[in-house]
Structures are given as structure tokens and as C-alpha cells.
CSV table of all heavy atoms in Angstrom, one decimal:
chain,number,residue,atom,x,y,z
A,1,MET,N,-3.0,5.8,5.5
A,1,MET,CA,-1.7,5.5,6.3
A,1,MET,C,-0.7,6.6,5.8
A,1,MET,O,-0.5,6.8,4.6
A,1,MET,CB,-1.3,4.1,5.9
A,1,MET,CG,0.0,3.7,6.5
A,1,MET,SD,0.4,2.0,6.2
A,1,MET,CE,-0.3,1.3,7.8
A,2,LYS,N,0.0,7.2,6.8
A,2,LYS,CA,0.9,8.2,6.6
A,2,LYS,C,2.3,7.6,6.4
A,2,LYS,O,2.6,6.5,6.8
A,2,LYS,CB,0.9,9.2,7.7
A,2,LYS,CG,-0.3,9.9,7.9
A,2,LYS,CD,-0.2,11.0,9.0
A,2,LYS,CE,-1.6,11.8,9.1
A,2,LYS,NZ,-1.5,12.7,10.2
A,3,THR,N,3.1,8.3,5.7
A,3,THR,CA,4.5,7.9,5.4
A,3,THR,C,5.3,7.7,6.7
A,3,THR,O,6.0,6.7,6.8
A,3,THR,CB,5.3,8.9,4.6
A,3,THR,OG1,4.5,9.1,3.4
A,3,THR,CG2,6.6,8.3,4.2
A,4,SER,N,5.0,8.6,7.7
A,4,SER,CA,5.7,8.4,9.0
A,4,SER,C,5.4,7.1,9.7
A,4,SER,O,6.2,6.5,10.3
A,4,SER,CB,5.4,9.6,9.9
A,4,SER,OG,4.1,9.7,10.2
A,5,GLU,N,4.1,6.7,9.5
A,5,GLU,CA,3.6,5.4,10.1
A,5,GLU,C,4.3,4.2,9.4
A,5,GLU,O,4.7,3.2,10.0
A,5,GLU,CB,2.1,5.3,10.0
A,5,GLU,CG,1.4,6.3,10.8
A,5,GLU,CD,-0.2,6.3,10.6
A,5,GLU,OE1,-0.6,5.5,9.7
A,5,GLU,OE2,-0.8,7.0,11.1
A,6,ILE,N,4.4,4.4,8.1
A,6,ILE,CA,5.1,3.3,7.3
A,6,ILE,C,6.6,3.1,7.7
A,6,ILE,O,7.0,2.0,7.7
A,6,ILE,CB,4.9,3.6,5.8
A,6,ILE,CG1,3.4,3.6,5.4
A,6,ILE,CG2,5.6,2.5,4.9
A,6,ILE,CD1,3.1,4.1,4.1
A,7,LYS,N,7.2,4.2,7.9
A,7,LYS,CA,8.7,4.1,8.1
A,7,LYS,C,8.9,3.4,9.4
A,7,LYS,O,10.0,2.9,9.7
A,7,LYS,CB,9.3,5.5,8.1
A,7,LYS,CG,9.4,6.1,6.8
A,7,LYS,CD,10.0,7.4,6.7
A,7,LYS,CE,10.2,7.9,5.3
A,7,LYS,NZ,10.8,9.3,5.2
A,8,GLU,N,8.0,3.4,10.3
A,8,GLU,CA,8.2,2.7,11.7
A,8,GLU,C,8.0,1.1,11.5
A,8,GLU,O,8.4,0.5,12.4
A,8,GLU,CB,7.1,3.2,12.6
A,8,GLU,CG,7.3,4.7,13.0
A,8,GLU,CD,6.2,5.3,13.9
A,8,GLU,OE1,5.3,4.5,14.2
A,8,GLU,OE2,6.2,6.4,14.2
A,9,LEU,N,7.4,0.7,10.5
A,9,LEU,CA,7.1,-0.7,10.3
A,9,LEU,C,8.4,-1.4,9.8
A,9,LEU,O,9.3,-0.8,9.3
A,9,LEU,CB,6.1,-0.9,9.2
A,9,LEU,CG,4.7,-0.4,9.5
A,9,LEU,CD1,3.9,-0.6,8.2
A,9,LEU,CD2,4.1,-1.0,10.6
A,10,THR,N,8.5,-2.7,10.1
A,10,THR,CA,9.7,-3.5,9.6
A,10,THR,C,9.5,-3.9,8.1
A,10,THR,O,8.3,-3.7,7.7
A,10,THR,CB,9.8,-4.8,10.4
A,10,THR,OG1,8.7,-5.5,10.2
A,10,THR,CG2,9.9,-4.5,11.8
A,11,THR,N,10.5,-4.2,7.5
A,11,THR,CA,10.4,-4.6,6.1
A,11,THR,C,9.4,-5.7,5.8
A,11,THR,O,8.7,-5.7,4.9
A,11,THR,CB,11.8,-5.0,5.5
A,11,THR,OG1,12.7,-3.9,5.8
A,11,THR,CG2,11.8,-5.3,4.1
A,12,LYS,N,9.4,-6.7,6.7
A,12,LYS,CA,8.5,-7.8,6.6
A,12,LYS,C,7.1,-7.4,6.7
A,12,LYS,O,6.2,-7.8,5.9
A,12,LYS,CB,8.8,-8.9,7.7
A,12,LYS,CG,8.0,-10.1,7.5
A,12,LYS,CD,8.4,-11.2,8.5
A,12,LYS,CE,7.5,-12.4,8.5
A,12,LYS,NZ,7.8,-13.4,9.5
A,13,GLU,N,6.7,-6.4,7.7
A,13,GLU,CA,5.4,-5.9,7.8
A,13,GLU,C,5.0,-5.1,6.6
A,13,GLU,O,3.8,-5.2,6.2
A,13,GLU,CB,5.3,-5.1,9.1
A,13,GLU,CG,5.5,-5.8,10.4
A,13,GLU,CD,5.5,-4.9,11.6
A,13,GLU,OE1,6.0,-3.7,11.4
A,13,GLU,OE2,5.1,-5.4,12.6
A,14,ILE,N,6.0,-4.4,6.0
A,14,ILE,CA,5.6,-3.6,4.8
A,14,ILE,C,5.1,-4.5,3.7
A,14,ILE,O,4.2,-4.3,3.0
A,14,ILE,CB,6.8,-2.7,4.4
A,14,ILE,CG1,7.0,-1.6,5.5
A,14,ILE,CG2,6.6,-2.0,3.0
A,14,ILE,CD1,8.2,-0.7,5.2
A,15,VAL,N,5.9,-5.6,3.4
A,15,VAL,CA,5.6,-6.5,2.4
A,15,VAL,C,4.2,-7.1,2.6
A,15,VAL,O,3.4,-7.3,1.7
A,15,VAL,CB,6.8,-7.6,2.3
A,15,VAL,CG1,6.2,-8.7,1.3
A,15,VAL,CG2,8.1,-7.0,1.9
A,16,GLU,N,3.9,-7.4,3.9
A,16,GLU,CA,2.6,-8.0,4.2
A,16,GLU,C,1.6,-7.0,3.9
A,16,GLU,O,0.5,-7.3,3.4
A,16,GLU,CB,2.6,-8.5,5.7
A,16,GLU,CG,3.5,-9.7,5.8
A,16,GLU,CD,3.5,-10.1,7.4
A,16,GLU,OE1,2.9,-9.3,8.2
A,16,GLU,OE2,4.2,-11.1,7.7
A,17,ARG,N,1.7,-5.7,4.3
A,17,ARG,CA,0.8,-4.7,4.1
A,17,ARG,C,0.6,-4.5,2.6
A,17,ARG,O,-0.6,-4.2,2.1
A,17,ARG,CB,1.2,-3.3,4.7
A,17,ARG,CG,1.2,-3.3,6.2
A,17,ARG,CD,-0.2,-2.9,6.8
A,17,ARG,NE,-0.2,-3.0,8.2
A,17,ARG,CZ,-0.2,-1.9,9.0
A,17,ARG,NH1,-0.1,-0.7,8.5
A,17,ARG,NH2,-0.2,-2.2,10.3
A,18,ILE,N,1.6,-4.5,1.8
A,18,ILE,CA,1.4,-4.4,0.3
A,18,ILE,C,0.5,-5.5,-0.2
A,18,ILE,O,-0.4,-5.2,-1.0
A,18,ILE,CB,2.8,-4.4,-0.4
A,18,ILE,CG1,3.7,-3.1,0.0
A,18,ILE,CG2,2.6,-4.6,-1.9
A,18,ILE,CD1,5.1,-3.2,-0.6
A,19,GLN,N,0.7,-6.7,0.2
A,19,GLN,CA,0.0,-7.8,-0.2
A,19,GLN,C,-1.5,-7.5,0.1
A,19,GLN,O,-2.5,-7.8,-0.6
A,19,GLN,CB,0.5,-9.1,0.2
A,19,GLN,CG,1.7,-9.6,-0.4
A,19,GLN,CD,2.3,-10.8,0.3
A,19,GLN,OE1,1.8,-11.2,1.3
A,19,GLN,NE2,3.4,-11.4,-0.3
A,20,THR,N,-1.7,-7.2,1.4
A,20,THR,CA,-3.1,-7.0,1.9
A,20,THR,C,-3.8,-5.9,1.1
A,20,THR,O,-4.9,-5.9,0.8
A,20,THR,CB,-3.0,-6.7,3.4
A,20,THR,OG1,-2.4,-7.7,4.1
A,20,THR,CG2,-4.4,-6.4,4.0
A,21,GLU,N,-3.1,-4.7,0.9
A,21,GLU,CA,-3.7,-3.6,0.2
A,21,GLU,C,-4.0,-4.0,-1.3
A,21,GLU,O,-5.0,-3.6,-1.7
A,21,GLU,CB,-2.7,-2.4,0.2
A,21,GLU,CG,-2.7,-1.6,1.5
A,21,GLU,CD,-3.9,-0.9,1.7
A,21,GLU,OE1,-4.6,-0.3,0.8
A,21,GLU,OE2,-4.3,-0.7,2.9
A,22,GLN,N,-3.1,-4.8,-1.8
A,22,GLN,CA,-3.4,-5.2,-3.3
A,22,GLN,C,-4.6,-6.0,-3.3
A,22,GLN,O,-5.4,-5.9,-4.2
A,22,GLN,CB,-2.2,-5.9,-3.9
A,22,GLN,CG,-1.0,-4.9,-4.2
A,22,GLN,CD,0.2,-5.7,-4.7
A,22,GLN,OE1,0.4,-6.8,-4.4
A,22,GLN,NE2,1.0,-4.9,-5.5
A,23,GLU,N,-4.8,-7.0,-2.4
A,23,GLU,CA,-6.0,-7.8,-2.3
A,23,GLU,C,-7.2,-7.0,-2.1
A,23,GLU,O,-8.3,-7.2,-2.7
A,23,GLU,CB,-5.8,-8.9,-1.2
A,23,GLU,CG,-4.8,-9.9,-1.5
A,23,GLU,CD,-4.5,-10.8,-0.4
A,23,GLU,OE1,-5.1,-10.6,0.7
A,23,GLU,OE2,-3.6,-11.7,-0.5
A,24,ASN,N,-7.1,-6.0,-1.2
A,24,ASN,CA,-8.2,-5.1,-0.9
A,24,ASN,C,-8.6,-4.3,-2.2
A,24,ASN,O,-9.8,-4.1,-2.4
A,24,ASN,CB,-7.9,-4.2,0.2
A,24,ASN,CG,-9.0,-3.3,0.7
A,24,ASN,OD1,-10.1,-3.7,0.6
A,24,ASN,ND2,-8.6,-2.1,1.1
A,25,LEU,N,-7.6,-3.8,-2.9
A,25,LEU,CA,-7.8,-3.1,-4.1
A,25,LEU,C,-8.6,-3.9,-5.2
A,25,LEU,O,-9.5,-3.4,-5.8
A,25,LEU,CB,-6.5,-2.5,-4.7
A,25,LEU,CG,-6.6,-1.7,-6.0
A,25,LEU,CD1,-7.5,-0.5,-5.7
A,25,LEU,CD2,-5.2,-1.3,-6.4
A,26,VAL,N,-8.2,-5.2,-5.3
A,26,VAL,CA,-8.9,-6.0,-6.2
A,26,VAL,C,-10.3,-6.2,-5.8
A,26,VAL,O,-11.2,-6.1,-6.7
A,26,VAL,CB,-8.1,-7.4,-6.4
A,26,VAL,CG1,-9.0,-8.4,-7.1
A,26,VAL,CG2,-6.8,-7.3,-7.0
A,27,ARG,N,-10.6,-6.4,-4.5
A,27,ARG,CA,-12.0,-6.6,-4.0
A,27,ARG,C,-12.8,-5.4,-4.4
A,27,ARG,O,-13.9,-5.4,-4.8
A,27,ARG,CB,-11.9,-6.9,-2.6
A,27,ARG,CG,-12.1,-8.4,-2.2
A,27,ARG,CD,-12.3,-8.7,-0.8
A,27,ARG,NE,-11.1,-9.2,-0.3
A,27,ARG,CZ,-10.2,-8.7,0.5
A,27,ARG,NH1,-10.4,-7.5,1.1
A,27,ARG,NH2,-9.1,-9.3,0.9
A,28,LEU,N,-12.2,-4.1,-4.1
A,28,LEU,CA,-12.9,-2.9,-4.3
A,28,LEU,C,-13.2,-2.8,-5.8
A,28,LEU,O,-14.4,-2.3,-6.1
A,28,LEU,CB,-12.0,-1.7,-3.8
A,28,LEU,CG,-11.9,-1.5,-2.3
A,28,LEU,CD1,-10.9,-0.4,-2.1
A,28,LEU,CD2,-13.3,-1.1,-1.8
A,29,ARG,N,-12.3,-3.1,-6.7
A,29,ARG,CA,-12.5,-3.0,-8.1
A,29,ARG,C,-13.7,-3.9,-8.5
A,29,ARG,O,-14.4,-3.5,-9.4
A,29,ARG,CB,-11.3,-3.3,-8.9
A,29,ARG,CG,-10.3,-2.1,-8.8
A,29,ARG,CD,-9.0,-2.4,-9.7
A,29,ARG,NE,-8.1,-1.3,-9.7
A,29,ARG,CZ,-6.9,-1.3,-10.1
A,29,ARG,NH1,-6.3,-2.6,-10.3
A,29,ARG,NH2,-6.1,-0.3,-10.0
A,30,LEU,N,-13.6,-5.0,-8.0
A,30,LEU,CA,-14.7,-6.0,-8.4
A,30,LEU,C,-16.0,-5.6,-7.9
A,30,LEU,O,-17.0,-5.6,-8.6
A,30,LEU,CB,-14.4,-7.4,-7.8
A,30,LEU,CG,-13.3,-8.2,-8.6
A,30,LEU,CD1,-13.0,-9.5,-7.8
A,30,LEU,CD2,-13.6,-8.5,-10.0
A,31,ASN,N,-16.1,-5.1,-6.6
A,31,ASN,CA,-17.3,-4.6,-6.1
A,31,ASN,C,-17.8,-3.3,-6.8
A,31,ASN,O,-19.0,-3.2,-7.1
A,31,ASN,CB,-17.1,-4.2,-4.7
A,31,ASN,CG,-17.0,-5.5,-3.8
A,31,ASN,OD1,-17.4,-6.6,-4.2
A,31,ASN,ND2,-16.5,-5.3,-2.6
A,32,HIS,N,-16.9,-2.5,-7.3
A,32,HIS,CA,-17.3,-1.3,-8.0
A,32,HIS,C,-17.8,-1.6,-9.4
A,32,HIS,O,-18.7,-1.0,-9.9
A,32,HIS,CB,-16.0,-0.4,-8.1
A,32,HIS,CG,-16.4,1.0,-8.6
A,32,HIS,ND1,-17.3,1.8,-8.1
A,32,HIS,CD2,-15.9,1.6,-9.7
A,32,HIS,CE1,-17.4,2.9,-8.7
A,32,HIS,NE2,-16.6,2.8,-9.8
A,33,ALA,N,-17.3,-2.7,-9.9
A,33,ALA,CA,-17.8,-3.1,-11.3
A,33,ALA,C,-19.1,-3.7,-11.2
A,33,ALA,O,-20.0,-3.4,-12.1
A,33,ALA,CB,-16.8,-4.1,-11.9
A,34,VAL,N,-19.5,-4.3,-10.1
A,34,VAL,CA,-20.8,-4.9,-10.0
A,34,VAL,C,-21.9,-3.9,-9.6
A,34,VAL,O,-22.9,-3.7,-10.2
A,34,VAL,CB,-20.8,-6.0,-8.9
A,34,VAL,CG1,-22.2,-6.6,-8.6
A,34,VAL,CG2,-19.9,-7.1,-9.4
A,35,SER,N,-21.5,-3.1,-8.6
A,35,SER,CA,-22.3,-2.0,-8.1
A,35,SER,C,-21.6,-0.8,-7.7
A,35,SER,O,-20.5,-1.1,-7.1
A,35,SER,CB,-23.4,-2.5,-7.1
A,35,SER,OG,-22.6,-2.8,-6.0
A,36,PRO,N,-21.9,0.3,-7.9
A,36,PRO,CA,-21.1,1.5,-7.6
A,36,PRO,C,-20.8,1.6,-6.0
A,36,PRO,O,-21.7,1.2,-5.2
A,36,PRO,CB,-21.9,2.8,-8.0
A,36,PRO,CG,-22.9,2.3,-9.0
A,36,PRO,CD,-23.1,0.8,-8.7
A,37,LEU,N,-19.6,2.0,-5.7
A,37,LEU,CA,-19.2,2.1,-4.4
A,37,LEU,C,-19.8,3.3,-3.7
A,37,LEU,O,-20.1,4.2,-4.4
A,37,LEU,CB,-17.7,2.2,-4.1
A,37,LEU,CG,-16.9,0.9,-4.5
A,37,LEU,CD1,-15.4,1.2,-4.5
A,37,LEU,CD2,-17.2,-0.3,-3.7
A,38,ASP,N,-20.0,3.3,-2.4
A,38,ASP,CA,-20.6,4.5,-1.8
A,38,ASP,C,-19.5,5.6,-1.8
A,38,ASP,O,-19.9,6.7,-2.1
A,38,ASP,CB,-20.8,4.2,-0.3
A,38,ASP,CG,-22.0,3.3,-0.1
A,38,ASP,OD1,-22.8,3.2,-1.0
A,38,ASP,OD2,-22.1,2.6,1.0
A,39,ASN,N,-18.2,5.2,-1.7
A,39,ASN,CA,-17.2,6.3,-1.7
A,39,ASN,C,-16.1,5.7,-2.7
A,39,ASN,O,-15.2,5.0,-2.4
A,39,ASN,CB,-16.6,6.5,-0.3
A,39,ASN,CG,-15.6,7.6,-0.3
A,39,ASN,OD1,-15.4,8.2,-1.4
A,39,ASN,ND2,-15.0,7.7,0.8
A,40,PRO,N,-16.2,6.1,-4.0
A,40,PRO,CA,-15.2,5.6,-5.0
A,40,PRO,C,-13.8,6.1,-4.7
A,40,PRO,O,-12.8,5.7,-5.3
A,40,PRO,CB,-15.8,6.1,-6.3
A,40,PRO,CG,-16.7,7.2,-6.0
A,40,PRO,CD,-17.3,7.0,-4.6
A,41,ASN,N,-13.7,7.1,-3.9
A,41,ASN,CA,-12.3,7.6,-3.5
A,41,ASN,C,-11.5,6.6,-2.7
A,41,ASN,O,-10.3,6.6,-2.7
A,41,ASN,CB,-12.4,8.9,-2.7
A,41,ASN,CG,-12.9,10.0,-3.5
A,41,ASN,OD1,-12.7,10.1,-4.7
A,41,ASN,ND2,-13.5,11.0,-2.8
A,42,LYS,N,-12.1,5.5,-2.3
A,42,LYS,CA,-11.4,4.4,-1.6
A,42,LYS,C,-10.4,3.7,-2.6
A,42,LYS,O,-9.4,3.2,-2.2
A,42,LYS,CB,-12.4,3.4,-1.0
A,42,LYS,CG,-13.1,3.9,0.2
A,42,LYS,CD,-14.0,2.8,0.8
A,42,LYS,CE,-14.8,3.4,2.0
A,42,LYS,NZ,-15.7,2.3,2.5
A,43,LEU,N,-10.8,3.7,-3.9
A,43,LEU,CA,-9.9,3.2,-4.8
A,43,LEU,C,-8.6,3.9,-5.0
A,43,LEU,O,-7.5,3.4,-4.9
A,43,LEU,CB,-10.6,3.1,-6.2
A,43,LEU,CG,-11.8,2.2,-6.4
A,43,LEU,CD1,-12.5,2.4,-7.7
A,43,LEU,CD2,-11.3,0.7,-6.4
A,44,THR,N,-8.7,5.2,-5.1
A,44,THR,CA,-7.6,6.1,-5.2
A,44,THR,C,-6.8,6.0,-3.9
A,44,THR,O,-5.5,6.0,-4.0
A,44,THR,CB,-8.1,7.5,-5.4
A,44,THR,OG1,-8.9,7.5,-6.6
A,44,THR,CG2,-6.8,8.4,-5.6
A,45,GLU,N,-7.5,6.1,-2.8
A,45,GLU,CA,-6.7,5.9,-1.4
A,45,GLU,C,-5.9,4.7,-1.4
A,45,GLU,O,-4.8,4.6,-1.0
A,45,GLU,CB,-7.7,6.1,-0.4
A,45,GLU,CG,-7.2,6.0,1.0
A,45,GLU,CD,-8.1,6.2,2.1
A,45,GLU,OE1,-9.2,6.8,1.8
A,45,GLU,OE2,-7.9,5.7,3.2
A,46,SER,N,-6.5,3.6,-1.7
A,46,SER,CA,-5.9,2.3,-1.7
A,46,SER,C,-4.6,2.2,-2.7
A,46,SER,O,-3.6,1.7,-2.3
A,46,SER,CB,-6.8,1.2,-2.1
A,46,SER,OG,-6.2,-0.1,-2.0
A,47,LYS,N,-4.8,2.8,-3.8
A,47,LYS,CA,-3.6,2.7,-4.8
A,47,LYS,C,-2.5,3.6,-4.3
A,47,LYS,O,-1.3,3.4,-4.4
A,47,LYS,CB,-4.1,3.4,-6.2
A,47,LYS,CG,-4.9,2.3,-6.9
A,47,LYS,CD,-5.1,2.8,-8.3
A,47,LYS,CE,-6.2,3.9,-8.4
A,47,LYS,NZ,-6.5,4.3,-9.8
A,48,ARG,N,-2.8,4.7,-3.7
A,48,ARG,CA,-1.8,5.6,-3.1
A,48,ARG,C,-1.1,5.0,-1.9
A,48,ARG,O,0.1,5.2,-1.7
A,48,ARG,CB,-2.4,6.9,-2.7
A,48,ARG,CG,-2.8,7.8,-3.9
A,48,ARG,CD,-3.3,9.1,-3.4
A,48,ARG,NE,-3.6,9.9,-4.7
A,48,ARG,CZ,-4.3,11.1,-4.7
A,48,ARG,NH1,-4.8,11.6,-3.6
A,48,ARG,NH2,-4.4,11.7,-5.8
A,49,ASN,N,-1.9,4.2,-1.1
A,49,ASN,CA,-1.2,3.5,0.1
A,49,ASN,C,-0.3,2.5,-0.5
A,49,ASN,O,0.8,2.4,0.1
A,49,ASN,CB,-2.3,2.8,0.9
A,49,ASN,CG,-2.9,3.8,1.8
A,49,ASN,OD1,-2.4,4.9,2.2
A,49,ASN,ND2,-4.1,3.5,2.3
A,50,ILE,N,-0.6,1.8,-1.5
A,50,ILE,CA,0.3,0.8,-2.1
A,50,ILE,C,1.6,1.5,-2.6
A,50,ILE,O,2.7,1.0,-2.4
A,50,ILE,CB,-0.4,0.0,-3.3
A,50,ILE,CG1,-1.5,-0.9,-2.7
A,50,ILE,CG2,0.6,-0.9,-4.0
A,50,ILE,CD1,-2.4,-1.4,-3.7
A,51,ALA,N,1.4,2.6,-3.3
A,51,ALA,CA,2.5,3.4,-3.8
A,51,ALA,C,3.4,3.8,-2.7
A,51,ALA,O,4.7,3.8,-2.8
A,51,ALA,CB,2.1,4.6,-4.6
A,52,ARG,N,2.8,4.3,-1.6
A,52,ARG,CA,3.7,4.8,-0.4
A,52,ARG,C,4.5,3.6,0.2
A,52,ARG,O,5.6,3.8,0.5
A,52,ARG,CB,2.8,5.4,0.7
A,52,ARG,CG,2.2,6.8,0.3
A,52,ARG,CD,1.4,7.3,1.5
A,52,ARG,NE,0.8,8.5,1.1
A,52,ARG,CZ,-0.5,8.7,1.0
A,52,ARG,NH1,-1.3,7.6,1.3
A,52,ARG,NH2,-1.0,9.8,0.6
A,53,LEU,N,3.8,2.5,0.3
A,53,LEU,CA,4.5,1.3,0.9
A,53,LEU,C,5.6,0.9,0.0
A,53,LEU,O,6.7,0.6,0.5
A,53,LEU,CB,3.5,0.1,1.1
A,53,LEU,CG,2.4,0.4,2.2
A,53,LEU,CD1,1.3,-0.7,2.0
A,53,LEU,CD2,3.1,0.1,3.5
A,54,LYS,N,5.4,0.8,-1.3
A,54,LYS,CA,6.4,0.3,-2.3
A,54,LYS,C,7.5,1.4,-2.3
A,54,LYS,O,8.7,1.0,-2.4
A,54,LYS,CB,5.9,0.2,-3.6
A,54,LYS,CG,5.0,-1.0,-3.8
A,54,LYS,CD,4.5,-1.3,-5.2
A,54,LYS,CE,3.8,-2.5,-5.5
A,54,LYS,NZ,3.5,-2.7,-6.8
A,55,THR,N,7.3,2.7,-2.1
A,55,THR,CA,8.3,3.6,-2.2
A,55,THR,C,9.3,3.5,-0.9
A,55,THR,O,10.5,3.5,-1.2
A,55,THR,CB,7.7,5.1,-2.1
A,55,THR,OG1,6.8,5.2,-3.3
A,55,THR,CG2,8.8,6.1,-2.1
A,56,VAL,N,8.7,3.3,0.3
A,56,VAL,CA,9.5,3.2,1.5
A,56,VAL,C,10.3,1.8,1.4
A,56,VAL,O,11.5,1.8,1.7
A,56,VAL,CB,8.6,3.1,2.7
A,56,VAL,CG1,9.4,2.7,3.9
A,56,VAL,CG2,8.0,4.4,2.8
A,57,LEU,N,9.7,0.8,0.8
A,57,LEU,CA,10.4,-0.5,0.7
A,57,LEU,C,11.6,-0.3,-0.3
A,57,LEU,O,12.6,-0.8,0.0
A,57,LEU,CB,9.4,-1.6,0.1
A,57,LEU,CG,9.9,-2.9,0.0
A,57,LEU,CD1,10.3,-3.5,1.4
A,57,LEU,CD2,8.9,-3.8,-0.6
A,58,ARG,N,11.4,0.3,-1.4
A,58,ARG,CA,12.4,0.6,-2.4
A,58,ARG,C,13.6,1.5,-1.8
A,58,ARG,O,14.8,1.2,-2.1
A,58,ARG,CB,11.9,1.2,-3.6
A,58,ARG,CG,12.8,1.4,-4.8
A,58,ARG,CD,13.4,0.2,-5.3
A,58,ARG,NE,14.4,0.5,-6.4
A,58,ARG,CZ,15.4,-0.1,-6.7
A,58,ARG,NH1,15.7,-1.2,-6.1
A,58,ARG,NH2,16.2,0.4,-7.8
A,59,ASP,N,13.2,2.4,-1.1
A,59,ASP,CA,14.2,3.2,-0.4
A,59,ASP,C,15.1,2.5,0.6
A,59,ASP,O,16.2,2.6,0.6
A,59,ASP,CB,13.5,4.5,0.4
A,59,ASP,CG,14.4,5.4,1.0
A,59,ASP,OD1,15.4,5.8,0.3
A,59,ASP,OD2,14.2,5.8,2.2
A,60,ARG,N,14.4,1.5,1.3
A,60,ARG,CA,15.2,0.7,2.2
A,60,ARG,C,16.2,-0.3,1.4
A,60,ARG,O,17.3,-0.5,1.8
A,60,ARG,CB,14.3,-0.1,3.1
A,60,ARG,CG,13.6,0.6,4.1
A,60,ARG,CD,12.8,-0.2,5.0
A,60,ARG,NE,12.1,0.7,6.0
A,60,ARG,CZ,11.3,0.1,6.9
A,60,ARG,NH1,11.1,-1.2,7.1
A,60,ARG,NH2,10.6,1.0,7.8
A,61,GLU,N,15.7,-0.8,0.3
A,61,GLU,CA,16.5,-1.6,-0.5
A,61,GLU,C,17.8,-0.8,-1.0
A,61,GLU,O,18.8,-1.3,-1.0
A,61,GLU,CB,15.8,-2.2,-1.8
A,61,GLU,CG,14.7,-3.2,-1.4
A,61,GLU,CD,13.9,-3.6,-2.6
A,61,GLU,OE1,14.0,-3.0,-3.7
A,61,GLU,OE2,13.0,-4.6,-2.4
A,62,LEU,N,17.5,0.3,-1.5
A,62,LEU,CA,18.6,1.1,-2.0
A,62,LEU,C,19.6,1.5,-0.9
A,62,LEU,O,20.9,1.5,-1.2
A,62,LEU,CB,18.1,2.4,-2.7
A,62,LEU,CG,17.3,2.2,-4.0
A,62,LEU,CD1,16.8,3.5,-4.5
A,62,LEU,CD2,18.2,1.6,-5.0
A,63,ASN,N,19.1,1.8,0.3
A,63,ASN,CA,20.0,2.1,1.4
A,63,ASN,C,20.8,0.9,1.8
A,63,ASN,O,22.0,1.0,2.3
A,63,ASN,CB,19.2,2.7,2.6
A,63,ASN,CG,18.7,4.0,2.4
A,63,ASN,OD1,19.3,4.8,1.7
A,63,ASN,ND2,17.7,4.3,3.1
A,64,GLU,N,20.3,-0.3,1.8
A,64,GLU,CA,21.0,-1.5,2.0
A,64,GLU,C,22.1,-1.7,1.1
A,64,GLU,O,23.2,-2.2,1.5
A,64,GLU,CB,20.1,-2.7,2.1
A,64,GLU,CG,19.2,-2.8,3.3
A,64,GLU,CD,18.2,-3.9,3.3
A,64,GLU,OE1,18.3,-4.8,2.4
A,64,GLU,OE2,17.3,-3.9,4.1
A,65,LYS,N,21.9,-1.4,-0.2
A,65,LYS,CA,22.9,-1.7,-1.2
A,65,LYS,C,24.1,-0.7,-1.1
A,65,LYS,O,25.2,-1.1,-1.3
A,65,LYS,CB,22.3,-1.5,-2.6
A,65,LYS,CG,21.4,-2.6,-3.0
A,65,LYS,CD,20.9,-2.5,-4.4
A,65,LYS,CE,20.0,-3.7,-4.8
A,65,LYS,NZ,19.5,-3.5,-6.2
A,66,LEU,N,23.8,0.5,-0.6
A,66,LEU,CA,24.8,1.5,-0.4
A,66,LEU,C,25.7,1.2,0.8
A,66,LEU,O,26.9,1.6,0.8
A,66,LEU,CB,24.2,2.9,-0.3
A,66,LEU,CG,23.5,3.5,-1.5
A,66,LEU,CD1,22.9,4.8,-1.1
A,66,LEU,CD2,24.6,3.7,-2.6
A,67,ASN,N,25.2,0.6,1.8
A,67,ASN,CA,25.8,0.3,3.0
A,67,ASN,C,26.5,-1.0,3.0
A,67,ASN,O,26.4,-2.0,2.4
A,67,ASN,CB,24.9,0.4,4.2
A,67,ASN,CG,24.4,1.8,4.4
A,67,ASN,OD1,25.2,2.7,4.1
A,67,ASN,ND2,23.3,1.9,5.1
């Protein structure tokens, strides 16, 4: 998910996506602990998506406080 796509989402949608991505990351980690994933880069990709979502959410919070 690109940053430009994230910025188009509403704040509520971003919060929902963060929760979904975190649940997905937990599932990926558990599956990887049991048996190796076909593509372990999915773990990194999921963590980066969570970070992007949180960054945009925090940016919006700061902009609201300034206005």
C-alpha cells in the first residue's frame, strides 16, 4: 500500500486498516514459527504498511491540534 493511497482514506478507515494489518502480522509470525513462509518478505512488508498507516494517522492528529 502506497502512502498516496493511505492519504485518500478516512481516519476511521486507517484505524481499521491498522488493526487488520496487525492481526495479519501476528498470523504471519505464528505461521512462520511453525513452518517457514514461502515469502518471508511478507513480514517486513506488513510491518512497513503498519508504520505507514501510523505515520499518516499521527500526521493528521498533529494537523488537527494545530488548527
